[in-house]
Amino acid sequence: MAKVIKNGQIVTDGWQVLRLAEGDSAELVAVPSGPVLVPLTVWQARQADLAGRPDVGVWLASHEPASALADGVEQLSVIAVNFPKFADGRGYSTATLLRTRYGFRGELRAIGDVQRDQFYFLQRCGFDCLQPAEGKYSDAQLEAALASFSDFSEPYQGAVDRPAPVWRRMQRGVAA
Amino acid sequence: MYRYDAIDQRIVDERVAQFRDQTRRYLAGELSEDEFRPLRLQNGLYIQRHAPMLRIAIPYGALRSEQMRMLARIAREYDRGYGHFTTRQNLQFNWPELPKVPDILALLASVEMHAIQTSGNCIRNFTSDPYAGVAGDERIDPRPWAEILRQWSTFHPEFAYLPRKFKMAVNGAAEDRAVIRVHDIGLEVIRNAAGEVGFRILVGGGLGRTPIIGKEIAAFVPWQHVLTYCEAILRVYNLHGRRDNLYKARIKILVQALGIDEFRRQVEDEWQHLKDGPSTLTEDEVRRVADQFEDPPYEALADGDPVYLQLVAANNPFAAWTRRNVRHHKRAGYASVVISLKKTGVPPGDISAEQMDLVADLAETYSFGELRVTHEQNLVLADVRQADLFGLWQKLRDSGLATANIGLLTDIICCPGGDFCALANAKSIPIAEAIQSRFDDLDYLYDVGELEINISGCMNACGHHHVGNIGILGVDKNGEEWYQVTIGGAQGNEASIGKVIGPSFAAAEMPEVIEALLDTYVAQRFEDELFVDTVRRVGVEPFKARVYSGRVGGKKKVANG
Ligand code: HEM
Ligand code: SF4
């Protein structure tokens, strides 16, 4: 079972991520039982069947727009955004849109190449669950990585976690 | 000048701690080369030909004396006793040791400085007019806006991993001295007919492989909405900019592919959702920042200090310097002084630690303790009393900092090129030096008048060669260093991209090529016509004919390059 970080805490978690292999078709691929995150294409092809399962979530590839789940935000308890490489930053905008434009209130999970040096940014864009690649970090490293959430204590600009910019949040101009 | 409050200070301190830990993990093997690269780049740390290079942010080119002294100290203790000012108003050190970079950043933080986002695929340092606040043609001081935007862009979580680097510049004067037309976003602070402040916004300009002049996306965005409008532009770019090809990843390629009208439509759609949201600026915040850019305590003086005028009349070298290096100031009795970092034999933009200390002292004595960096890679003392000019000139002259060549052809913009940069096709510094040596006759330089020569060692265009009146680009031909020449480029309000005159040249030929171009100009020009205007009027042909004519005859004399 994977170790993930949920709301700043390390937990063991049972969600599987279904990824289509070469030759798999979205219409026919077997969706395992138990908590599973399916690709957007599978969700779109089989929404009627899957919508009844509370243990099914959807993951978006980095090129897939948040708007594709505009109608799903009420039904889904988990949406994941995949980072094929941590430097592919589209997921930050996708997450921001899911939270602010489409009002998604469920669990927003970052999957793929998720690394501690991006935890701070991911959290700010509305991800509340981070799933580093399996085996990426030892338990001790993951524990140490929690410190990254507080890399900066008072960010300048507004984002999903703190929508107000610093000059709306507090009195500025107090000498250093 | 803007002073940090407790919040600003904590952010740079926390950055030092963060980067110290990242460096530690890299050196311990916990972070791979590929994982560490984007992290170090976002702290201005390149690995180049000989050693890492550290680029330090100088937001909109403004520096205080104590900050300059800290740069001098770092140059001495952590580098080889000098630094290099860049075309984006930053400073680079060429020889720091990676394990010591966190210590350098800690020293910088102690004087309200940092290297945040000076490289990498994020929003870079903001550049602006080096004469902000003192220029006679200024409509609105751009510095408070640049500072507000700097803070907004610092660690913006949504835009930390863009498809490619993102450069922004702000100008607030009639003349564009911030080259906003070749930036990813260029902002012009203006007043509309009703007298309200806002921004004309250009998008998709840039140099590099595909030089493009930015296009207007908005004629007037009221100041309250400038952050949300920029956020909308960046979101569209972040989601739709190309990530499959490094060379097609800049926003200019997206704007070109969609067309400015479609790009604007997408941005405006996005903006409808962001507009009036929490990032809408408040009068309080703008005032808080703007208050820090109030005029220094000027004295009530008259123009034309008699002693100064006498000295100008009596002393030719001083007079020459005042003609080229001293600029009009909005206040009577004051002037702005450009300190040339373009002395022949010194790489353009380079400055020694001793010179840094000296200019820091001079700034304190003569200019309210403040310095500016220009994108032409010179320094400015913005607020000097006319009566002090002579004393200042003497001290600069004694330290090799009074070359009277601002705006002339030896005031060359030049990238580090093959001497330092791993990406270079060719060296650039020796070309600059060969040209400076060939044209060392001041009378001739003054006769030729204003002319910008810009040199880049490869098509990445760090030396802005496309917008040089004469642009020189290093190219690789079968492993040899060659140089392609363009003419007619320009920055400013009439920014344009230069045209290639023909096949490229060997290094040794460059001074004579420049000479042939100048001869053509002198023969063709109308009275008082600038080089670039002659090129615009008569076209490339006469220049080309002259430059290549000696070569067709096969009798090509070789200059001592
Ligand atoms: C020595 C290490 C350096 C390296 C490896 C480097 C690398 C690059 C690269 C790869 C580009 C092209 C990026 C693109 O078009 O997307 C570029 C552009 C640029 N660089 Fe550098 N650079 C270096 C030093 C400098 C210096 C010293 C300056 C200033 C003197 C500078 C200023 C610029 C500017 C102004 C551009 C053009 C921006 C544009 O395309 O709009 N760089 N650099
Ligand atoms: S233009 Fe090319 S050679 Fe010059 S610094 Fe930039 S990347 Fe290096």
Side-chain angles (χ1 to χ4, degrees):
Chain A
M1 289 215 177
K3 286 265 169 65
V4 303
I5 302 175
K6 251 187 211 175
N7 294 314
Q9 304 236 303
I10 300 170
V11 296
T12 308
D13 150 286
W15 287 83
Q16 307 173 60
V17 180
L18 175 67
R19 292 179 189 267
L20 295 184
E22 188 96 17
D24 282 349
S25 91
E27 285 77 16
L28 301 174
V29 69
V31 176
S33 59
V36 60
L37 294 163
V38 301
L40 176 66
T41 47
V42 171
W43 172 253
Q44 286 174 330
R46 291 149 69 177
Q47 197 167 346
D49 300 343
L50 298 174
R53 276 180 62 178
D55 58 352
V56 167
V58 178
W59 66 269
L60 294 174
S62 61
H63 65 277
E64 288 168 341
S67 59
L69 289 177
D71 301 333
V73 295
E74 298 296 334
Q75 303 165 46
L76 293 164
S77 62
V78 182
I79 295 176
V81 178
N82 186 52
F83 287 79
K85 291 184 305 221
F86 75 85
D88 180 341
R90 285 175 281 193
Y92 295 101
S93 288
T94 306
T96 301
L97 286 170
L98 283 168
R99 289 292 194 211
T100 59
R101 183 80 35 90
Y102 302 108
F104 180 59
R105 294 277 156 262
E107 178 185 299
L108 188 54
R109 177 181 290 228
I111 61 172
D113 189 11
V114 172
Q115 301 195 21
R116 66 168 285 184
D117 294 289
Q118 289 77 45
F119 283 5
Y120 174 79
F121 292 139
L122 290 165
Q123 158 189 263
R124 290 223 64 204
C125 289
F127 289 103
D128 51 4
C129 179
L130 308 180
Q131 181 169 356
E134 197 107 41
K136 172 78 198 163
Y137 293 120
S138 69
D139 286 357
Q141 284 174 331
L142 203 57
E143 200 65 53
L146 295 180
S148 294
F149 286 111
S150 41
D151 275 348
F152 301 97
S153 24
E154 286 299 341
Y156 282 126
Q157 63 296 99
V160 176
D161 65 338
R162 275 182 266 192
V166 65
W167 36 269
R168 284 186 193 276
R169 295 196 306 265
M170 54 207 292
Q171 172 76 32
R172 291 216 57 182
V174 181
Chain B
M1 234 183 96
Y2 186 79
R3 297 301 307 250
Y4 281 8
D5 69 1
I7 292 163
D8 300 304
Q9 187 62 47
R10 184 149 59 173
I11 282 179
V12 295
D13 290 344
E14 287 173 334
R15 174 57 147 196
V16 176
Q18 183 195 40
F19 192 67
R20 200 181 282 288
D21 186 57
Q22 290 170 342
T23 306
R24 181 192 61 73
R25 283 186 278 127
Y26 168 69
L27 294 173
E30 289 176 39
L31 274 171
S32 72
E33 193 63 51
D34 281 349
E35 291 168 353
F36 186 53
R37 186 182 308 111
L39 306 180
R40 66 167 161 76
L41 284 175
Q42 301 218 351
N43 250 310
L45 195 60
Y46 279 84
I47 304 294
Q48 49 168 1
R49 191 149 282 192
H50 306 290
M53 172 205 90
L54 179 63
R55 185 180 291 152
I56 291 162
I58 303 178
Y60 38 96
L63 270 177
R64 291 194 308 275
S65 288
E66 55 156 347
Q67 296 176 318
M68 186 65 112
R69 287 196 191 98
M70 182 56 82
L71 295 174
R73 175 173 163 196
I74 292 168
R76 251 184 233 111
E77 292 178 14
Y78 294 88
D79 208 86
R80 298 194 178 171
Y82 69 96
H84 173 81
F85 285 107
T86 78
T87 43
R88 295 202 76 255
Q89 301 177 304
N90 291 319
L91 180 101
Q92 289 183 184
F93 286 122
N94 283 312
W95 312 94
E97 287 170 42
L98 172 69
K100 293 190 179 156
V101 169
D103 296 337
I104 299 178
L105 297 181
L107 286 174
L108 290 171
S110 73
V111 291
E112 305 178 3
M113 292 184 84
H114 60 78
I116 295 165
Q117 289 167 215
T118 52
S119 183
N121 297 332
C122 49
I123 304 173
R124 303 283 190 89
N125 187 38
F126 278 78
T127 54
S128 189
D129 180 1
Y131 306 105
V134 300
D137 69 339
E138 183 165 286
R139 298 175 182 134
I140 295 156
D141 191 340
R143 293 170 299 174
W145 300 104
E147 178 59 30
I148 286 167
L149 286 153
R150 178 192 79 80
Q151 297 189 12
W152 157 81
S153 69
T154 299
F155 307 132
H156 197 304
E158 193 181 337
F159 308 127
Y161 293 97
L162 296 169
R164 201 72 182 85
K165 60 175 159 184
F166 204 88
K167 302 182 178 181
M168 298 176 68
V170 195
N171 193 59
E175 186 191 339
D176 170 20
R177 285 180 290 264
V179 244
I180 61 172
R181 285 159 183 78
V182 294
H183 278 80
D184 295 279
I185 291 181
L187 296 158
E188 189 180 3
V189 208
I190 52 174
R191 257 179 234 286
N192 66 8
E196 294 150 346
V197 173
F199 291 82
R200 174 174 172 248
I201 303 183
L202 308 179
V203 68
L207 298 172
R209 270 163 211 263
T210 321
I212 295 181
I213 300 293
K215 297 182 181 63
E216 184 178 288
I217 183 167
F220 188 82
V221 174
W223 62 268
Q224 295 89 334
H225 304 299
V226 66
L227 299 183
T228 53
Y229 201 94
C230 289
E231 258 168 28
I233 293 175
L234 273 142
R235 184 171 291 166
V236 170
Y237 170 56
N238 190 38
L239 286 169
H240 303 297
R242 285 182 64 172
R243 289 176 187 264
D244 59 329
N245 180 341
L246 192 63
Y247 301 122
K248 303 220 180 286
R250 296 286 292 270
I251 194 175
K252 61 192 172 187
I253 305 292
L254 178 65
V255 173
Q256 211 175 29
L258 293 175
I260 184 67
D261 294 328
E262 171 58 16
F263 183 76
R264 182 185 299 112
R265 190 193 64 71
Q266 294 190 12
V267 168
E268 300 261 336
D269 271 4
E270 197 57 48
W271 189 44
Q272 291 320 309
H273 298 279
L274 296 168
K275 191 167 177 264
D276 299 317
S279 301
T280 308
L281 278 166
T282 59
E283 246 166 66
D284 277 353
E285 173 62 3
V286 174
R287 194 173 327 107
R288 178 186 77 84
V289 178
D291 278 352
Q292 308 212 38
F293 295 95
E294 290 274 277
D295 278 352
Y298 292 123
E299 293 165 45
L301 301 170
D303 261 333
D305 178 77
V307 180
Y308 163 63
L309 292 180
Q310 239 170 21
L311 286 162
V312 170
N315 186 319
N316 278 339
F318 177 55
W321 179 78
T322 60
R323 259 171 64 201
R324 291 311 326 172
N325 299 34
V326 173
R327 286 177 51 100
H328 175 78
H329 193 285
K330 68 175 184 185
R331 290 288 295 237
Y334 282 87
S336 298
V337 167
V338 189
I339 300 174
S340 172
L341 300 181
K342 307 299 176 65
K343 186 179 154 73
T344 302
V346 179
D350 274 16
I351 181 168
S352 69
E354 291 67 39
Q355 290 174 327
M356 290 186 208
D357 277 335
L358 175 83
V359 295
D361 290 348
L362 294 176
E364 238 153 39
T365 312
Y366 295 114
S367 196
F368 302 101
E370 216 191 282
L371 287 143
R372 321 280 183 91
V373 184
T374 74
H375 81 265
E376 290 93 349
Q377 306 176 276
N378 293 310
L379 296 175
V380 168
L381 294 176
D383 299 292
V384 181
R385 296 188 315 181
Q386 289 173 0
D388 289 335
L389 287 170
F390 189 73
L392 171 61
W393 172 71
Q394 287 179 306
K395 289 178 187 154
L396 288 171
R397 186 197 52 188
D398 293 346
S399 297
L401 289 170
T403 311
N405 64 348
I406 298 308
L408 301 178
L409 81 86
T410 54
D411 184 7
I412 294 173
I413 297 181
C414 181
C415 82
D419 292 302
F420 296 98
C421 176
L423 305 178
N425 289 325
K427 295 192 186 67
S428 49
I429 293 169
I431 302 299
E433 190 178 343
I435 295 169
Q436 287 171 329
S437 303
R438 168 63 77 87
F439 301 101
D440 62 351
D441 175 20
L442 270 185
D443 291 333
Y444 180 70
L445 289 182
Y446 290 151
D447 179 49
V448 169
E450 293 193 7
L451 200 174
E452 282 192 357
I453 299 184
N454 296 1
I455 309 177
S456 306
C458 77
M459 61 293 215
N460 286 321
C462 302
H464 287 186
H465 64 277
H466 303 107
V467 291
N469 302 156
I470 297 176
I472 300 175
L473 164 66
V475 290
D476 176 290
K477 272 204 215 164
N478 308 321
E480 283 176 45
E481 301 190 357
W482 288 77
Y483 297 89
Q484 186 187 71
V485 174
T486 49
I487 60 174
Q491 50 173 331
N493 296 1
E494 303 291 315
S496 57
I497 306 290
K499 294 194 180 66
V500 178
I501 62 169
S504 48
F505 307 95
E509 295 174 274
M510 287 313 299
E512 80 180 82
V513 170
I514 302 297
E515 191 165 353
L517 292 173
L518 297 180
D519 288 348
T520 317
Y521 158 64
V522 171
Q524 298 272 349
R525 71 176 163 189
F526 290 153
E527 210 173 334
D528 281 347
E529 192 178 40
L530 296 181
F531 177 88
V532 64
D533 294 325
T534 305
V535 176
R536 283 178 178 155
R537 182 171 54 80
V538 306
V540 171
E541 275 317 311
F543 291 89
K544 188 172 172 169
R546 182 83 163 241
V547 169
Y548 291 98
S549 72
R551 300 161 63 88
V552 178
K555 193 172 161 295
K556 181 163 66 89
K557 62 173 186 180
V558 176
N560 307 322

